[in-house]
Amino acid sequence: MSLRRFIIRRVLVSIPILLGVSMITFFLVNLAPIDVVDVIIGINPDATQADYARLRNELGIDRPIYIRYWDWLTSALQGDFGPVYSRGLDAGELIAARWKETVLLGLYGWVIALLIAIPIGIYSALKKGQLGDDVGRFAALTGISIPNFWLGLILLGFFSSQLGIFSASTPQTPLLHTKTLAWLLLPGITIGSAAAANLMRIMRTSMIEEMNKEYVTAARAKGLPERTVMLKHVLRNSLISVVTVAAFLTSGIVAGSVVVEQVFGWPGLGRAFVTAATRQEINLILAITLFTGTAIVLMNLVADILYAVLDPRIRDEY
Amino acid sequence: MSTKRGRITIDGFDADVVEQREELSDWSEDKDTNLESRWRRVAREIRRDRLALIGGTVVFVMLLLAIFSQPIKAFGVTIQPISITPYDPGQQFVAGTTENYADPSFLPWSEGSLLDYPFGTDTLGRDVFSRVMAGTRYSVTIGLIVTAISGTFGVIYGGISGYFGGKVDGVLMRFVDMIFAFPGLVLAIVILALLGKGYWPLVLAFTATGWAGYARLIRGEILKVKQNEYVLAAKALGARDRRVLFRHVVPNSIAPVIVQATLSIGTVVIGVAALGFLGLGFPPGTPEWGTMINAEQGTVLSARGWVRWWVTVFPGLMLFLFVMAMNMIGDAINDALDAQGGEGIDAAGGGG
């Protein structure tokens, strides 16, 4: 199958998934025992039954759910996700204002994960069964097992309160300013730890697997120096799976950002999402869930295409 | 002359004659060696793994703690009367006067009471040790229940999808793809925001997000296993689909699912604690590890240094220990299965 046909097919498969994601979220939220009217009116004692009925009619809640879904979807596609009642602005505006923070933090975590995972993974694979490998694997096990919110709090307590070298308040400088980027190091490590541990294991396994293949024996038999065999042949081939798996880790990084933004007070989408969940702001919950869902579907799409570009054998599986 | 084999009647075959005839060759069934079952070999392999032994011990102790930390009552009758926590997890000011707790530098340990309060006391003067012990019950049981339910459902769902294939598979797996488009924690937060806090909402939230992983995993395995000849043989002998699937195909594809289940207990436990930390899991004051850390997160930032570190460190340490122990066991099972011929999974996901 040609690469172009593969990409077209893969994109077409993503569309119903995205529709399904929007449907699941919408029906979940709207069938739940929450009354939006209650959220808006709050504990206003003056509200009468007539007020409730009027609001219901204005918001269109009294119409059948599939019509409401259609309305919501068509306006959401135009960027209108409805108001956030406790803030007096639109959910779409809030996302537009906050997404950059989350993407920056996520990228930061991603880069840190790759920077930690690849060298240690290679080292572990080359020293398989030796002390260095054991240490590396134990570090990976620790990284996978450590709860990121706890790690964040401990880093915060140690570097901010105890040593005083980390400011607990978020920097007021623009996003790509060096000060902001330096500050993001701790949140980045926190968010990247689990991903780093996972990637390290994958790097190690895939490198060991490649080293056992016949082309490696052939290259050695040819008299190539060990360095060339490892760098030019083994490493290249084992990086394929690492790069694609790294894209799949987006889901974990998005989930991590929800927690880590809360720990460090970083004003991104994750924090807005937790606030929305606490206050039962349905429009915002819907908007952010759809936003992250779309991001993940797109990243998986990119991962698959990347994989198909790097390893042509995979194209025939679709 | 006819013999019955299940629902099939075979003519012209007499089992007795076959058994009593002369030996055709000097081959005889070797009854002494190599009869150890696959699972027994795996179990022996795991017992040799030192990390698995450590992990197993930790998990065993935590299970004991979950049972004996507090008395268990059901319908007003005390089933389990032992309580190894020195104080009630909700009891305030166990160390004495109220004033001490208003002072952030108050150190219960510095008064020579290390044995009385091994993990110190929290901002409301409750014994952290008692609370951490009591917290075992929440995390451990939710982890086990969620994994059991989502694993069972995922195996049935993925089993049907993989075994029948074709259109059924297409539709069922598209739904799994959709669940995968949500980050686990985000969907769990949505469900909890809608249902409210509590033990069973948490179980539901993590089951709803967790089953899809098992479904996808066993489906892939079944696609391979169902091409084996014994499956064809079972079908040829007239076995029904349900029997072929659950007696022959699933048991032979279950190995990676067991690894995944062991590893994901830790993931679920971290997820539950993360929701507790976000204030969405349990009502404030519940002695659950994440909720405890949530209540005390203000103590981390202080102009006088990180003086009250124990209120956040100990609950998190217990959480970390349990998850690490669970992952050690999972890794050992995976390695043991790998040694049996690559039945494990390459690299398991995890972390929250």
Side-chain angles (χ1 to χ4, degrees):
Chain A
M1 196 188 293
S2 73
L3 186 60
R4 185 204 290 215
R5 268 192 70 193
F6 171 81
I7 293 177
I8 292 174
R9 272 188 101 143
R10 191 60 190 71
V11 170
L12 287 178
V13 170
S14 306
I15 293 171
I17 292 178
L18 274 178
L19 263 180
V21 167
S22 75
M23 248 183 242
I24 294 176
T25 335
F26 188 85
F27 286 98
L28 199 65
V29 167
N30 281 282
L31 294 174
I34 288 190
D35 199 337
V36 194
V37 180
D38 278 341
V39 177
I40 300 169
I41 290 181
I43 44 167
N44 186 352
D46 296 334
T48 59
Q49 278 304 319
D51 288 335
Y52 274 92
R54 188 175 50 79
L55 257 176
R56 248 173 238 288
N57 190 275
E58 269 176 27
L59 292 169
I61 301 176
D62 44 4
R63 290 173 306 154
I65 189 160
Y66 53 89
I67 295 180
R68 280 159 54 203
Y69 171 70
W70 180 248
D71 281 354
W72 173 78
L73 188 68
T74 44
S75 43
L77 286 176
Q78 295 162 34
D80 175 18
F81 290 94
V84 182
Y85 298 109
S86 58
R87 302 221 189 174
L89 79 168
D90 270 9
E93 289 170 25
L94 198 130
I95 290 185
R98 298 277 197 100
W99 70 273
K100 289 194 200 96
E101 270 83 356
T102 298
V103 169
L104 181 68
L105 180 63
L107 278 179
Y108 216 103
W110 215 75
V111 170
I112 287 180
L114 285 175
L115 286 182
I116 300 176
I118 291 183
I120 302 184
I122 295 173
Y123 179 80
S124 246
L126 292 179
K127 305 263 170 190
K128 191 188 170 202
Q130 298 175 28
L131 183 68
D133 181 31
D134 286 346
V135 173
R137 291 172 77 188
F138 197 76
L141 188 62
T142 312
I144 286 178
S145 312
I146 205 160
N148 52 10
F149 64 94
W150 185 62
L151 177 65
L153 280 178
I154 283 180
L155 290 176
L156 206 56
F158 190 68
F159 287 102
S160 180
S161 293
Q162 199 63 35
L163 300 181
I165 53 172
F166 179 81
S167 155
S169 53
T170 51
Q172 297 305 309
T173 42
L175 273 188
L176 291 174
H177 195 275
T178 37
K179 257 191 186 163
T180 322
L181 292 178
W183 185 87
L184 275 175
L185 192 63
L186 278 195
I189 290 175
T190 313
I191 208 174
S193 60
N198 272 319
L199 274 178
M200 209 178 103
R201 288 183 154 195
I202 293 160
M203 181 77 224
R204 178 179 175 276
T205 328
S206 89
M207 192 142 166
I208 289 174
E209 236 166 58
E210 287 299 321
M211 282 197 290
N212 287 331
K213 288 200 172 150
E214 281 173 6
Y215 71 86
V216 179
T217 320
R220 281 187 183 139
K222 224 162 46 168
L224 283 184
E226 191 64 18
R227 214 183 138 73
T228 321
V229 176
M230 285 301 157
L231 290 182
K232 277 213 143 173
H233 298 277
V234 175
L235 190 58
R236 261 199 185 171
N237 283 318
S238 45
L239 274 178
I240 291 179
S241 59
V242 173
V243 169
T244 50
V245 171
F248 284 118
L249 288 178
T250 321
S251 179
I253 287 184
V254 169
S257 75
V258 173
V259 173
V260 174
E261 285 178 12
Q262 198 72 13
V263 173
F264 289 92
W266 183 244
L269 280 181
R271 238 179 120 204
F273 186 60
V274 174
T275 321
T278 322
R279 296 192 184 150
Q280 303 198 319
E281 283 284 0
I282 285 177
N283 288 335
L284 192 53
I285 294 179
L286 269 174
I288 297 181
T289 312
L290 192 66
F291 184 81
T292 52
T294 312
I296 288 172
V297 170
L298 288 181
M299 280 307 281
N300 287 352
L301 182 67
V302 170
D304 271 356
I305 293 174
L306 209 62
Y307 203 179
V309 171
L310 294 172
D311 186 353
R313 284 172 300 181
I314 200 80
R315 291 177 206 169
D316 296 327
E317 286 183 18
Y318 265 86
Chain B
M1 184 66 58
S2 71
T3 315
K4 269 187 89 71
R5 283 277 182 273
R7 292 190 290 150
I8 294 172
T9 312
I10 304 162
D11 288 318
F13 174 77
D14 188 351
D16 292 335
V17 173
V18 173
E19 255 167 45
Q20 284 159 14
R21 74 183 167 198
E22 256 176 62
E23 298 282 342
L24 292 174
S25 68
D26 54 1
W27 181 87
S28 69
E29 199 179 346
D30 187 353
K31 287 207 161 101
D32 299 323
T33 56
N34 217 13
L35 274 176
E36 199 179 21
S37 84
R38 190 170 59 134
W39 291 108
R40 199 165 293 170
R41 254 178 295 157
V42 168
R44 205 186 43 196
E45 195 84 24
I46 292 167
R47 272 202 298 274
R48 280 218 309 255
D49 193 315
R50 220 175 317 155
L51 284 183
L53 215 65
I54 300 171
T57 315
V58 172
V59 169
F60 181 69
V61 170
M62 292 242 183
L63 281 176
L64 289 184
L65 282 179
I67 298 171
F68 293 110
S69 62
Q70 289 275 286
I72 300 175
K73 276 185 185 169
F75 308 111
V77 184
T78 310
I79 303 172
Q80 192 281 108
I82 303 168
S83 168
I84 55 172
T85 57
Y87 301 96
D88 182 79
Q91 190 194 340
Q92 297 193 354
F93 312 124
V94 289
T97 55
T98 321
E99 298 93 342
N100 286 333
Y101 296 96
D103 177 9
S105 64
F106 172 65
L107 298 166
W109 294 356
S110 62
E111 297 182 353
S113 50
L114 178 63
L115 282 179
D116 294 343
Y117 315 107
F119 291 178
T121 49
D122 71 4
T123 315
L124 290 173
R126 294 172 295 197
D127 179 32
V128 175
F129 180 74
S130 298
R131 292 176 68 72
V132 164
M133 293 299 128
T136 321
R137 194 169 281 175
Y138 295 93
S139 297
V140 172
T141 55
I142 293 184
L144 293 177
I145 294 176
V146 166
T147 307
I149 303 177
S150 54
T152 313
F153 183 72
V155 164
I156 295 174
Y157 188 98
I160 292 172
S161 182
Y163 181 73
F164 291 105
K167 279 205 179 105
V168 179
D169 186 40
V171 172
L172 289 181
M173 277 302 128
R174 280 296 91 78
F175 189 62
V176 168
D177 287 344
M178 286 172 201
I179 300 291
F180 264 92
F182 296 97
L185 204 62
V186 169
L187 192 55
I189 289 175
V190 172
I191 294 175
L192 273 171
L194 303 174
L195 291 182
K197 298 167 186 176
Y199 189 95
W200 293 107
L202 275 167
V203 169
L204 184 72
F206 282 95
T207 308
T209 54
W211 66 272
Y214 299 104
R216 189 179 268 187
L217 189 63
I218 197 152
R219 173 199 172 255
E221 238 6 72
I222 280 177
L223 289 185
K224 280 182 256 165
V225 169
K226 76 172 181 183
Q227 297 183 352
N228 282 325
E229 270 123 14
Y230 58 78
V231 176
L232 191 64
K235 280 187 194 164
L237 283 170
R240 285 162 210 262
D241 278 333
R242 202 173 62 191
R243 190 183 162 84
V244 176
L245 177 56
F246 289 109
R247 289 292 295 266
H248 300 282
V249 178
V250 167
N252 283 298
S253 6
I254 206 82
V257 176
I258 290 171
V259 176
Q260 177 71 38
T262 325
L263 292 171
S264 76
I265 290 178
T267 316
V268 171
V269 168
I270 288 187
V272 169
L275 283 174
F277 168 73
L278 294 174
L280 295 164
F282 287 98
T286 311
E288 186 269 332
W289 297 331
T291 314
M292 288 169 70
I293 296 175
N294 174 51
E296 301 285 352
Q297 57 175 313
T299 61
V300 166
L301 294 173
S302 147
R304 305 175 56 177
W306 192 16
V307 279
R308 299 185 64 84
W309 53 271
W310 57 87
V311 286
T312 42
V313 166
F314 286 118
L317 203 61
M318 284 292 273
L319 179 60
F320 172 55
L321 270 181
F322 178 72
V323 175
M324 182 108 168
M326 232 37 243
N327 284 341
M328 282 174 175
I329 299 175
D331 281 351
I333 300 179
N334 196 25
D335 289 347
L337 286 168
D338 258 346
Q340 297 292 306
E343 283 187 86
I345 40 183
D346 290 340

